[in-house]
Each structure stands twice: as structure tokens, then as C-alpha cells.
Amino acid sequence: MRDITLHINGTDHALQIEDNWTLLYVLREVLNLTGTKYGCGTNDCGACKVLVDGVPKNSCVLLARNLEGADILTIEGVSHDGHLHPVQQAFVDAGAIQCGYCTPGMVMTSLALLANNPDPSEDEILTALEGNLCRCTGYKKIVEAVQLTARRMREDDGAQQG
Ligand code: FES
Ligand code: FES
């Protein structure tokens, strides 16, 4: 075992981990942050997506021991004070959630996309989400949810400036 501190959702967690533990294992099995899902375990589905320094990464293939000093955001850190983040609310409003297993990963990737591109085209959304697989929705409503978020965020910005 080795001692390590991981910075997750704004909080430092002092942990003892084995060298071969993945970030996904630490999140789910050590910290009980089970919003991040285990799908394939082989870097193919995106269900385990988190943001590492703002970049979407599949946590099933990241070794936790390499992440000291990184800023890690999971789905549990996305909502605030009991309120859904606009991306989460848009997924609900657009009907982009069926079984929900892919949703945390979809939300994390969408967050990163919108942080870099507040007005993505449909093609840009599909490209950003190509590492996130969904077995239920056919993706159309997920794209609509990202577009709805972008529209609402632009309207909010306009209201604040006007
Ligand atoms: S569980 Fe990590 S990519 Fe599928
Ligand atoms: S909603 Fe079921 S896998 Fe996406």
C-alpha cells in the first residue's frame, strides 16, 4: 500500500492504495462515489468518465497513484446545494435519460465540451460524445440536451449582461 492524497470534487482525500488500483476502483469501492459507472473496464464505453484537470478521461484505465495533484471532478461534484447543474437539468428536460447508466459519463463529457465551446454544432457534439456509448436513447435526445444546455447558458449570460 502507498499513501496518496487525491483532490476530488474540491476536497482532499488522504488514502492508502495499492499501485494497481484504478481511479474508478478508488471512487466506487473506497470512497463510495458510485455515480461514476463501471461499464466495460476497457476504455471503450465512457460510463466511467470523470474530468481530470477539466479533461474527460475514462477512470477505469487511470491508475490512481498517478493522479496526486490533479483536480478530479466526478458526477457527485456537479450539482450544487441540491440543485442540478444546467447540463443535468437539460438531460432531464430533453428526455435524454432512459436506463441512466451512461448519463453520468455523458454529463461529464458535455460539461467539458461546453466549457470550451459554448455553442457547439450537432457534429461537434457527436464528435465530443463519440467515446460515450448509450444502448438506449439513439443519441438524438442527448444531442438535444447539450444544445438545450448551450441555449439556456447563452440566455443566462445575455440576461446577466443585459
Ligand atoms: S468502464 Fe471505463 S470506458 Fe467503459
Ligand atoms: S440511457 Fe441507457 S445506456 Fe444510455
Coordinates of all heavy atoms in Angstrom, one line a residue, residues 81-160:
D81 N -25.7 22.5 -3.9 CA -26.8 22.9 -2.9 C -28.1 22.2 -3.3 O -29.2 22.8 -3.2 CB -27.0 24.4 -2.9 CG -25.7 25.1 -2.4 OD1 -25.0 24.5 -1.6 OD2 -25.5 26.3 -2.8
G82 N -28.0 21.0 -3.8 CA -29.3 20.3 -4.1 C -29.9 20.6 -5.4 O -31.0 20.1 -5.8
H83 N -29.2 21.5 -6.2 CA -29.7 21.9 -7.5 C -28.9 21.2 -8.6 O -27.7 21.2 -8.6 CB -29.7 23.4 -7.7 CG -30.5 24.2 -6.7 ND1 -31.9 24.2 -6.8 CD2 -30.2 24.9 -5.6 CE1 -32.4 24.9 -5.8 NE2 -31.4 25.3 -5.0
L84 N -29.6 20.7 -9.5 CA -29.0 20.1 -10.7 C -28.2 21.1 -11.5 O -28.6 22.3 -11.6 CB -30.0 19.4 -11.6 CG -30.7 18.2 -11.1 CD1 -31.7 17.7 -12.1 CD2 -29.8 17.1 -10.6
H85 N -27.1 20.8 -12.0 CA -26.3 21.6 -12.9 C -27.2 21.8 -14.2 O -28.0 20.9 -14.5 CB -25.0 21.0 -13.3 CG -24.1 21.8 -14.1 ND1 -24.3 21.9 -15.5 CD2 -23.1 22.6 -13.8 CE1 -23.4 22.7 -16.0 NE2 -22.6 23.1 -15.0
P86 N -27.1 22.9 -14.9 CA -27.9 23.1 -16.1 C -27.7 21.9 -17.1 O -28.7 21.6 -17.8 CB -27.3 24.4 -16.7 CG -26.9 25.2 -15.6 CD -26.3 24.1 -14.6
V87 N -26.6 21.3 -17.2 CA -26.4 20.1 -18.1 C -27.3 19.0 -17.6 O -28.1 18.4 -18.4 CB -25.0 19.7 -18.2 CG1 -24.9 18.4 -19.0 CG2 -24.1 20.7 -18.8
Q88 N -27.3 18.7 -16.3 CA -28.1 17.6 -15.8 C -29.6 18.0 -16.0 O -30.4 17.1 -16.4 CB -27.9 17.5 -14.3 CG -26.4 17.0 -14.0 CD -26.1 17.0 -12.5 OE1 -26.2 18.1 -11.9 NE2 -25.8 15.9 -12.0
Q89 N -30.0 19.2 -15.7 CA -31.4 19.6 -15.9 C -31.9 19.4 -17.3 O -33.0 19.0 -17.6 CB -31.6 21.0 -15.4 CG -33.1 21.4 -15.4 CD -33.9 20.6 -14.3 OE1 -33.5 20.5 -13.2 NE2 -34.9 19.9 -14.8
A90 N -31.0 19.8 -18.3 CA -31.3 19.7 -19.7 C -31.5 18.2 -20.1 O -32.3 17.9 -20.9 CB -30.3 20.4 -20.5
F91 N -30.6 17.3 -19.5 CA -30.8 15.9 -19.8 C -32.2 15.4 -19.4 O -32.8 14.6 -20.1 CB -29.7 15.0 -19.2 CG -28.5 14.8 -20.0 CD1 -27.6 15.9 -20.4 CD2 -28.2 13.6 -20.5 CE1 -26.5 15.7 -21.2 CE2 -27.1 13.4 -21.4 CZ -26.3 14.5 -21.7
V92 N -32.6 15.9 -18.2 CA -34.0 15.5 -17.7 C -35.0 16.1 -18.7 O -35.9 15.4 -19.2 CB -34.2 16.0 -16.3 CG1 -35.6 15.8 -15.8 CG2 -33.2 15.4 -15.3
D93 N -34.9 17.4 -18.9 CA -35.9 18.1 -19.7 C -36.0 17.6 -21.1 O -37.1 17.6 -21.7 CB -35.7 19.6 -19.7 CG -35.8 20.2 -18.3 OD1 -36.4 19.5 -17.4 OD2 -35.3 21.3 -18.1
A94 N -34.9 17.2 -21.7 CA -34.9 16.7 -23.1 C -35.3 15.2 -23.2 O -35.3 14.7 -24.3 CB -33.5 17.0 -23.7
G95 N -35.5 14.6 -22.1 CA -35.8 13.1 -22.2 C -34.6 12.3 -22.6 O -34.7 11.3 -23.3
A96 N -33.4 12.8 -22.3 CA -32.1 12.1 -22.7 C -31.7 11.0 -21.8 O -30.6 10.5 -22.0 CB -31.0 13.2 -22.9
I97 N -32.5 10.6 -20.9 CA -32.1 9.6 -19.9 C -33.1 8.5 -20.0 O -34.3 8.7 -19.9 CB -32.1 10.1 -18.5 CG1 -31.2 11.3 -18.4 CG2 -31.7 9.0 -17.5 CD1 -31.3 12.0 -17.0
Q98 N -32.7 7.2 -20.3 CA -33.6 6.1 -20.2 C -33.1 5.2 -19.0 O -33.5 5.5 -17.9 CB -33.7 5.4 -21.5 CG -34.4 6.2 -22.5 CD -34.7 5.5 -23.8 OE1 -34.8 4.3 -23.9 NE2 -34.9 6.3 -24.9
C99 N -32.2 4.3 -19.2 CA -31.8 3.5 -18.1 C -30.9 4.3 -17.2 O -30.8 4.1 -16.0 CB -31.1 2.2 -18.5 SG -29.3 2.4 -19.0
G100 N -30.2 5.3 -17.8 CA -29.4 6.2 -17.0 C -28.0 5.8 -16.8 O -27.2 6.5 -16.2
Y101 N -27.6 4.6 -17.2 CA -26.3 4.1 -16.9 C -25.2 4.9 -17.6 O -24.1 5.1 -17.0 CB -26.1 2.6 -17.3 CG -25.1 1.9 -16.5 CD1 -25.4 1.4 -15.2 CD2 -23.8 1.7 -17.0 CE1 -24.5 0.7 -14.5 CE2 -22.9 1.0 -16.2 CZ -23.2 0.6 -15.0 OH -22.3 -0.1 -14.2
C102 N -25.4 5.4 -18.8 CA -24.4 6.2 -19.5 C -24.4 7.7 -19.0 O -23.5 8.4 -19.4 CB -24.7 6.1 -21.0 SG -26.2 7.0 -21.5
T103 N -25.5 8.1 -18.3 CA -25.7 9.5 -18.1 C -24.6 10.2 -17.4 O -24.2 11.3 -17.8 CB -27.1 9.7 -17.4 OG1 -28.1 9.0 -18.1 CG2 -27.5 11.2 -17.4
P104 N -24.1 9.7 -16.3 CA -23.0 10.5 -15.6 C -21.8 10.7 -16.6 O -21.3 11.9 -16.6 CB -22.6 9.6 -14.4 CG -23.8 8.8 -14.2 CD -24.5 8.5 -15.5
G105 N -21.5 9.7 -17.3 CA -20.3 9.9 -18.3 C -20.7 10.9 -19.4 O -19.9 11.8 -19.7
M106 N -21.9 10.9 -19.8 CA -22.4 11.8 -20.9 C -22.3 13.2 -20.3 O -21.9 14.2 -21.0 CB -23.8 11.5 -21.3 CG -24.0 10.2 -22.1 SD -23.4 10.4 -23.8 CE -23.9 8.8 -24.4
V107 N -22.8 13.4 -19.1 CA -22.8 14.7 -18.5 C -21.4 15.3 -18.3 O -21.1 16.4 -18.6 CB -23.6 14.7 -17.1 CG1 -23.3 16.0 -16.3 CG2 -25.0 14.4 -17.3
M108 N -20.5 14.4 -17.9 CA -19.1 14.9 -17.7 C -18.5 15.3 -19.0 O -17.8 16.4 -19.1 CB -18.2 13.8 -17.0 CG -18.7 13.3 -15.7 SD -19.2 14.6 -14.5 CE -17.7 15.3 -14.1
T109 N -18.7 14.5 -20.1 CA -18.1 14.9 -21.4 C -18.8 16.2 -21.9 O -18.1 17.1 -22.5 CB -18.3 13.8 -22.4 OG1 -17.7 12.6 -21.9 CG2 -17.8 14.1 -23.7
S110 N -20.1 16.3 -21.7 CA -20.8 17.5 -22.1 C -20.3 18.8 -21.4 O -20.2 19.8 -22.0 CB -22.3 17.3 -21.9 OG -22.8 16.2 -22.6
L111 N -20.1 18.6 -20.1 CA -19.5 19.8 -19.3 C -18.2 20.3 -20.0 O -18.1 21.5 -20.1 CB -19.2 19.3 -17.9 CG -20.4 19.3 -16.9 CD1 -19.8 18.7 -15.6 CD2 -20.8 20.7 -16.6
A112 N -17.3 19.3 -20.2 CA -16.0 19.7 -20.8 C -16.2 20.4 -22.2 O -15.6 21.4 -22.5 CB -15.1 18.5 -20.9
L113 N -17.1 19.8 -23.0 CA -17.3 20.4 -24.3 C -17.8 21.8 -24.2 O -17.3 22.7 -24.8 CB -18.4 19.5 -25.1 CG -18.9 20.2 -26.4 CD1 -17.8 20.3 -27.4 CD2 -20.1 19.3 -26.9
L114 N -18.8 22.0 -23.3 CA -19.5 23.4 -23.3 C -18.5 24.4 -22.6 O -18.6 25.6 -22.9 CB -20.8 23.3 -22.5 CG -21.9 22.5 -23.2 CD1 -23.0 22.1 -22.3 CD2 -22.4 23.3 -24.4
A115 N -17.6 23.9 -21.8 CA -16.6 24.8 -21.2 C -15.7 25.4 -22.2 O -15.3 26.5 -22.1 CB -15.8 24.1 -20.1
N116 N -15.5 24.6 -23.3 CA -14.6 25.0 -24.3 C -15.3 25.6 -25.5 O -14.7 26.3 -26.4 CB -13.7 23.8 -24.8 CG -12.7 23.4 -23.7 OD1 -12.1 24.2 -23.1 ND2 -12.7 22.1 -23.4
N117 N -16.5 25.2 -25.7 CA -17.3 25.6 -26.9 C -18.8 25.9 -26.5 O -19.6 24.9 -26.4 CB -17.2 24.5 -27.9 CG -17.9 24.8 -29.2 OD1 -18.6 25.9 -29.3 ND2 -17.8 24.0 -30.2
P118 N -19.1 27.1 -26.2 CA -20.5 27.3 -25.6 C -21.6 27.2 -26.7 O -22.8 27.2 -26.3 CB -20.4 28.8 -25.1 CG -19.1 29.4 -25.7 CD -18.3 28.3 -26.1
D119 N -21.2 27.1 -27.9 CA -22.3 26.9 -29.0 C -21.9 25.9 -30.0 O -21.7 26.1 -31.2 CB -22.4 28.3 -29.7 CG -23.6 28.3 -30.6 OD1 -24.5 27.4 -30.5 OD2 -23.7 29.2 -31.5
P120 N -21.8 24.6 -29.5 CA -21.3 23.5 -30.4 C -22.4 23.2 -31.4 O -23.6 23.2 -31.2 CB -21.1 22.4 -29.4 CG -22.0 22.6 -28.3 CD -22.1 24.1 -28.2
S121 N -21.9 22.8 -32.6 CA -22.8 22.3 -33.7 C -23.2 20.8 -33.3 O -22.5 20.2 -32.5 CB -22.1 22.4 -35.0 OG -21.0 21.4 -35.0
E122 N -24.1 20.3 -34.1 CA -24.5 18.9 -33.9 C -23.3 18.0 -34.1 O -23.1 17.1 -33.3 CB -25.7 18.5 -34.8 CG -26.2 17.1 -34.6 CD -27.4 16.8 -35.4 OE1 -28.1 17.7 -35.8 OE2 -27.7 15.6 -35.6
D123 N -22.6 18.3 -35.2 CA -21.4 17.5 -35.5 C -20.3 17.6 -34.4 O -19.7 16.5 -34.0 CB -20.7 17.9 -36.8 CG -21.5 17.4 -38.0 OD1 -22.4 16.5 -37.8 OD2 -21.1 17.8 -39.1
E124 N -20.2 18.8 -33.8 CA -19.2 18.9 -32.7 C -19.6 18.2 -31.5 O -18.8 17.6 -30.8 CB -19.0 20.4 -32.4 CG -18.2 21.1 -33.5 CD -18.1 22.6 -33.4 OE1 -19.1 23.2 -32.8 OE2 -17.2 23.2 -33.8
I125 N -20.9 18.1 -31.2 CA -21.4 17.4 -30.1 C -21.2 15.9 -30.3 O -20.7 15.2 -29.4 CB -22.9 17.7 -29.8 CG1 -23.1 19.2 -29.5 CG2 -23.5 16.8 -28.8 CD1 -24.6 19.7 -29.5
L126 N -21.6 15.4 -31.5 CA -21.4 14.0 -31.8 C -19.9 13.6 -31.7 O -19.6 12.5 -31.2 CB -22.0 13.7 -33.1 CG -23.5 13.7 -33.2 CD1 -24.0 13.6 -34.6 CD2 -24.1 12.5 -32.4
T127 N -19.1 14.4 -32.2 CA -17.6 14.1 -32.1 C -17.2 14.1 -30.7 O -16.4 13.1 -30.2 CB -16.8 15.2 -32.9 OG1 -17.2 15.2 -34.2 CG2 -15.3 14.9 -32.8
A128 N -17.6 15.0 -29.8 CA -17.2 15.1 -28.4 C -17.7 13.8 -27.7 O -17.0 13.3 -26.8 CB -17.7 16.3 -27.8
L129 N -18.9 13.3 -28.1 CA -19.5 12.2 -27.3 C -19.2 10.9 -28.0 O -19.8 9.9 -27.5 CB -21.0 12.4 -27.3 CG -21.5 13.6 -26.4 CD1 -23.1 13.7 -26.6 CD2 -21.2 13.4 -25.0
E130 N -18.3 10.8 -28.9 CA -18.1 9.5 -29.6 C -17.5 8.5 -28.7 O -17.6 7.3 -29.0 CB -17.4 9.7 -30.9 CG -15.9 10.1 -30.8 CD -15.3 10.4 -32.2 OE1 -16.1 10.4 -33.2 OE2 -14.1 10.7 -32.2
G131 N -16.9 8.9 -27.6 CA -16.3 7.9 -26.7 C -17.3 7.5 -25.6 O -17.0 6.8 -24.7
N132 N -18.5 8.0 -25.7 CA -19.6 7.7 -24.7 C -20.7 6.9 -25.4 O -21.4 7.4 -26.2 CB -20.2 9.0 -24.1 CG -19.2 9.8 -23.2 OD1 -18.3 10.4 -23.7 ND2 -19.4 9.7 -21.9
L133 N -20.8 5.6 -25.0 CA -21.8 4.8 -25.6 C -23.1 4.8 -24.8 O -23.1 4.8 -23.6 CB -21.3 3.3 -25.7 CG -19.9 3.2 -26.4 CD1 -19.6 1.7 -26.6 CD2 -19.9 3.9 -27.8
C134 N -24.2 4.8 -25.6 CA -25.5 4.7 -25.0 C -26.3 3.6 -25.7 O -26.4 3.6 -26.9 CB -26.3 6.0 -25.1 SG -28.0 5.9 -24.4
R135 N -26.8 2.6 -24.9 CA -27.6 1.5 -25.5 C -29.0 1.8 -25.7 O -29.8 1.0 -26.2 CB -27.4 0.2 -24.6 CG -26.0 -0.2 -24.5 CD -25.8 -1.3 -23.6 NE -26.6 -2.5 -24.0 CZ -26.4 -3.7 -23.7 NH1 -25.3 -4.0 -23.0 NH2 -27.2 -4.7 -24.1
C136 N -29.5 2.9 -25.1 CA -31.0 3.1 -25.1 C -31.5 4.2 -26.0 O -32.5 4.0 -26.6 CB -31.4 3.5 -23.6 SG -30.8 2.4 -22.4
T137 N -30.9 5.4 -26.0 CA -31.6 6.6 -26.5 C -31.4 6.8 -28.0 O -32.1 7.7 -28.5 CB -31.0 7.8 -25.8 OG1 -29.6 8.0 -26.2 CG2 -31.1 7.7 -24.3
G138 N -30.4 6.2 -28.6 CA -30.2 6.5 -30.0 C -29.5 7.9 -30.2 O -29.4 8.4 -31.3
Y139 N -29.1 8.5 -29.1 CA -28.2 9.7 -29.1 C -28.9 11.0 -29.5 O -28.5 12.1 -29.1 CB -27.0 9.6 -30.0 CG -26.1 8.4 -29.6 CD1 -26.2 7.2 -30.2 CD2 -25.2 8.5 -28.5 CE1 -25.4 6.1 -29.8 CE2 -24.4 7.5 -28.2 CZ -24.5 6.3 -28.8 OH -23.7 5.2 -28.4
K140 N -30.1 10.9 -30.2 CA -30.7 12.2 -30.7 C -31.1 13.1 -29.5 O -30.8 14.3 -29.5 CB -31.9 11.8 -31.5 CG -32.6 12.9 -32.1 CD -33.7 12.4 -33.1 CE -34.3 13.6 -33.9 NZ -35.1 14.4 -33.1
K141 N -31.7 12.5 -28.5 CA -32.1 13.3 -27.3 C -30.9 13.8 -26.5 O -31.0 14.8 -25.8 CB -33.1 12.6 -26.5 CG -34.5 12.4 -27.2 CD -35.5 11.8 -26.3 CE -36.8 11.7 -27.1 NZ -37.4 12.9 -27.5
I142 N -29.8 13.1 -26.5 CA -28.6 13.5 -25.8 C -28.1 14.7 -26.5 O -27.7 15.7 -25.9 CB -27.6 12.4 -25.7 CG1 -28.2 11.3 -24.8 CG2 -26.3 12.9 -25.3 CD1 -27.3 10.0 -24.8
V143 N -28.0 14.7 -27.8 CA -27.5 15.9 -28.6 C -28.5 17.1 -28.3 O -28.0 18.2 -28.1 CB -27.5 15.6 -30.1 CG1 -27.2 16.8 -30.9 CG2 -26.4 14.5 -30.4
E144 N -29.8 16.8 -28.3 CA -30.7 17.9 -28.0 C -30.5 18.4 -26.6 O -30.6 19.6 -26.3 CB -32.2 17.4 -28.1 CG -32.6 17.1 -29.5 CD -33.9 16.4 -29.7 OE1 -34.6 16.2 -28.6 OE2 -34.3 16.1 -30.8
A145 N -30.1 17.6 -25.6 CA -29.9 18.0 -24.3 C -28.7 19.0 -24.2 O -28.7 20.0 -23.5 CB -29.7 16.9 -23.3
V146 N -27.7 18.6 -25.0 CA -26.5 19.5 -25.0 C -26.8 20.8 -25.7 O -26.4 21.9 -25.2 CB -25.3 18.8 -25.7 CG1 -24.1 19.7 -25.7 CG2 -24.9 17.5 -25.0
Q147 N -27.6 20.8 -26.7 CA -28.0 22.0 -27.4 C -28.9 22.9 -26.5 O -28.7 24.1 -26.5 CB -28.7 21.7 -28.7 CG -27.8 21.1 -29.8 CD -28.6 20.5 -31.0 OE1 -29.7 20.0 -30.8 NE2 -28.0 20.7 -32.2
L148 N -29.8 22.2 -25.8 CA -30.6 22.9 -24.8 C -29.8 23.6 -23.7 O -30.1 24.8 -23.4 CB -31.7 22.0 -24.2 CG -32.6 22.5 -23.2 CD1 -33.5 23.6 -23.8 CD2 -33.5 21.4 -22.7
T149 N -28.8 22.9 -23.2 CA -28.0 23.5 -22.2 C -27.3 24.7 -22.8 O -27.2 25.8 -22.1 CB -26.9 22.5 -21.8 OG1 -27.4 21.3 -21.4 CG2 -26.1 23.0 -20.6
A150 N -26.7 24.6 -23.9 CA -26.0 25.7 -24.6 C -26.9 26.9 -24.7 O -26.5 28.0 -24.4 CB -25.4 25.3 -25.9
R151 N -28.1 26.6 -25.2 CA -29.0 27.7 -25.4 C -29.4 28.4 -24.1 O -29.4 29.6 -24.0 CB -30.3 27.2 -26.1 CG -31.2 28.3 -26.6 CD -32.2 27.7 -27.7 NE -33.1 26.8 -27.1 CZ -33.2 25.5 -27.5 NH1 -32.3 25.0 -28.3 NH2 -34.1 24.7 -26.9
R152 N -29.7 27.6 -23.1 CA -30.0 28.2 -21.8 C -28.8 29.0 -21.2 O -29.0 30.0 -20.5 CB -30.5 27.1 -20.8 CG -31.8 26.5 -21.1 CD -32.2 25.4 -20.2 NE -33.5 24.9 -20.4 CZ -34.0 23.8 -19.9 NH1 -33.3 23.1 -19.1 NH2 -35.3 23.5 -20.1
M153 N -27.6 28.5 -21.3 CA -26.5 29.2 -20.7 C -26.2 30.5 -21.5 O -25.9 31.5 -20.9 CB -25.2 28.3 -20.8 CG -25.3 27.1 -19.8 SD -24.0 25.9 -20.0 CE -23.0 26.3 -18.6
R154 N -26.5 30.5 -22.8 CA -26.3 31.7 -23.5 C -27.4 32.7 -23.1 O -27.1 33.9 -22.9 CB -26.4 31.5 -25.0 CG -25.2 30.9 -25.6 CD -25.2 31.1 -27.2 NE -26.4 30.5 -27.8 CZ -26.5 29.3 -28.2 NH1 -25.6 28.4 -27.9 NH2 -27.6 28.9 -28.7
E155 N -28.6 32.2 -22.9 CA -29.7 33.1 -22.5 C -29.4 33.7 -21.1 O -29.6 34.9 -20.8 CB -31.0 32.4 -22.4 CG -31.6 32.1 -23.8 CD -32.7 31.1 -23.9 OE1 -33.1 30.6 -22.8 OE2 -33.2 30.8 -25.0
D156 N -28.9 32.9 -20.2 CA -28.5 33.3 -18.8 C -27.4 34.4 -18.9 O -27.5 35.4 -18.2 CB -28.0 32.2 -18.0 CG -29.2 31.4 -17.5 OD1 -30.3 31.8 -17.7 OD2 -28.9 30.3 -16.8
D157 N -26.4 34.1 -19.8 CA -25.3 35.1 -19.9 C -25.9 36.4 -20.5 O -25.5 37.5 -20.0 CB -24.3 34.6 -20.9 CG -23.4 33.5 -20.2 OD1 -23.5 33.4 -19.0 OD2 -22.6 32.9 -20.9
G158 N -26.8 36.3 -21.4 CA -27.4 37.5 -22.0 C -28.2 38.3 -21.0 O -28.1 39.5 -20.9
A159 N -28.9 37.6 -20.1 CA -29.7 38.2 -19.1 C -28.8 38.9 -18.1 O -29.1 40.0 -17.6 CB -30.6 37.2 -18.4
Q160 N -27.7 38.3 -17.7 CA -26.8 38.9 -16.8 C -26.1 40.1 -17.3 O -25.9 41.1 -16.6 CB -25.7 37.9 -16.3 CG -26.2 36.9 -15.3 CD -25.3 35.7 -15.0 OE1 -24.2 35.8 -15.3 NE2 -25.9 34.7 -14.5

